[in-house]
């Protein structure tokens, strides 16, 4: 997972494939993680058919319904990119159902954002939800990458609506998060 986060896809794939070779001694939960992460690597590399294969395989091993929201979300992203509205709708609805069933706010919000994108529905209600609910949620959870993504989206929406000062505030907050995330330590005598 860490290799994927830092963009080391080749190394992540190599490690995951090594782990996959010993799958006969692993739990179903661990197998599902291996296949899910392989699916993510292939998705990031834009090898969608391979990604779909591994994500569907991951679903076969997932025993906890709660975990499926993440896999359904990635499948939704892939099918959106492939303009496959039938599979997109299928996985998006399944993912939303699970997220709502378990009140998994992270995925409720991620599916909400994806639906807004698909429907090009970035009206005032969505902007208010993004500003008042979604961004504060990700601030509270400390998920900086998600927070930066949502701030970027809000900044773009403000910019498109000619609200340049608000857009600049979003971009400034992203900059501060980025600087504080990757701050170089200063060593002095």
């Amino acid at each position: 997972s860490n290799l994927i986060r830092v963009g080391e896809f080749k190394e992540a794939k190599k490690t995951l494939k090594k782990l996959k070779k010993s799958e006969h001694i692993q739990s179903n939960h661990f197998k599902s993680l291996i296949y899910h992460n392989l699916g993510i690597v292939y998705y990031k590399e834009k090898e969608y058919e391979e990604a779909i294969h591994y994500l569907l395989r991951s679903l076969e091993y997932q025993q906890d319904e709660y975990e499926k929201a993440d896999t359904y979300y990635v499948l939704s992203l892939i099918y959106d990119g492939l303009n496959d509205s039938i599979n997109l709708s299928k996985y998006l609805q399944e993912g939303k159902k699970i997220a709502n069933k378990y009140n998994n706010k992270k995925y409720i919000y991620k599916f909400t954002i994806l639906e807004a994108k698909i429907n090009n529905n970035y009206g005032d209600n969505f902007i208010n939800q993004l500003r008042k609910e979604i961004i504060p949620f990700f601030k509270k959870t400390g998920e900086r990458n998600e927070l930066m993504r949502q701030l970027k989206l809000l900044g773009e929406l403000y910019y498109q609506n000619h609200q340049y000062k608000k857009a600049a505030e979003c971009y400034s907050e992203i900059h501060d998060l980025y600087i504080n995330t990757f701050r170089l330590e200063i060593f002095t005598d």
Side-chain angles (χ1 to χ4, degrees), residues 65-187:
E65 185 181 51
Y66 181 85
E67 295 174 3
K68 292 183 178 184
D70 188 13
T71 305
Y72 286 144
Y73 179 73
V74 179
L75 283 165
S76 297
L77 292 174
I78 292 169
Y79 285 118
D80 180 43
L82 293 172
N83 294 318
D84 181 340
S85 58
I86 293 171
N87 281 311
L88 168 59
S89 178
K90 173 184 171 183
Y91 291 109
L92 189 129
Q93 294 309 317
E94 283 296 317
K96 277 179 47 180
K97 186 171 80 174
I98 290 169
N100 286 318
K101 179 179 178 179
Y102 293 99
N103 196 29
N104 183 337
K105 293 276 192 208
K106 176 180 178 176
Y107 283 98
I108 290 171
Y109 292 144
K110 288 178 84 156
F111 282 112
T112 298
I113 292 164
L114 181 57
E115 270 189 317
K117 176 191 175 277
I118 292 165
N119 298 322
N120 198 24
N121 185 12
Y122 294 125
D124 290 338
N125 289 338
F126 177 76
I127 290 172
N128 284 331
Q129 183 182 21
L130 192 57
R131 187 172 54 83
K132 293 179 180 178
E133 274 181 61
I134 297 172
I135 289 173
F137 171 79
F138 286 114
K139 280 182 181 177
K140 185 178 176 185
T141 64
E143 295 182 59
R144 287 179 179 232
N145 288 339
E146 281 299 327
L147 176 58
M148 287 191 283
R149 277 188 203 98
Q150 307 329 324
L151 284 166
K152 182 178 183 285
L153 174 58
L154 184 60
E156 289 170 356
L157 294 173
Y158 281 144
Y159 187 84
Q160 290 170 8
N161 291 328
H162 309 287
Q163 296 176 310
Y164 303 118
K165 183 177 179 184
K166 288 182 178 180
E169 289 169 0
C170 290
Y171 298 139
S172 177
E173 193 169 345
I174 293 167
H175 177 74
D176 290 344
L177 284 164
Y178 185 82
I179 293 299
N180 289 327
T181 301
F182 300 104
R183 179 181 299 162
L184 294 174
E185 295 295 326
I186 299 173
F187 297 98

Side-chain angles (χ1 to χ4, degrees), residues 8-19:
E8 292 290 334
F9 304 131
K10 186 177 179 180
E11 197 60 37
K13 196 183 322 181
K14 190 170 116 181
T15 302
L16 289 164
K17 286 187 173 184
K18 278 184 191 175
L19 291 169

